[in-house]
Amino acid sequence: MVWHQEEQVLQLVRDRIGVLTLYYTTTGSVRWIAPQLIALSPHCSCDLDLVALQDYLYCAFVPGERTL
């Protein structure tokens, strides 16, 4: 994470190859960031978005604002 004090912007970065995954969630005005998905489970819904799952199975990715 890189915090730019003057611009009041937080940038999240990962490794160049993309081996390490970075997970985040936005719940209201709070942002939770973690290297493992299990760490975010208390802070987000565990409900599965079936439309997003269908998109993933058809397209091999989830387009737009949706997420599984």
Side-chain angles (χ1 to χ4, degrees):
M1 295 186 305
V2 178
W3 174 251
H4 296 281
Q5 182 65 34
E6 293 178 13
E7 299 161 6
Q8 298 287 301
V9 173
L10 178 66
Q11 290 183 326
L12 304 176
V13 294
R14 25 182 269 185
D15 61 302
R16 291 182 185 195
I17 300 173
V19 174
L20 302 175
T21 304
L22 181 64
Y23 297 98
Y24 70 94
T25 183
T26 55
T27 305
S29 62
V30 178
R31 307 299 185 249
W32 296 97
I33 306 161
Q36 297 177 347
L37 191 55
I38 191 79
L40 294 179
S41 62
H43 308 289
C44 63
S45 171
C46 294
D47 296 334
L48 183 62
D49 184 339
L50 296 178
V51 174
L53 176 60
Q54 177 182 339
D55 290 345
Y56 178 76
L57 293 174
Y58 285 142
C59 306
F61 70 97
V62 180
E65 295 291 322
R66 296 184 109 50
T67 183
L68 292 174

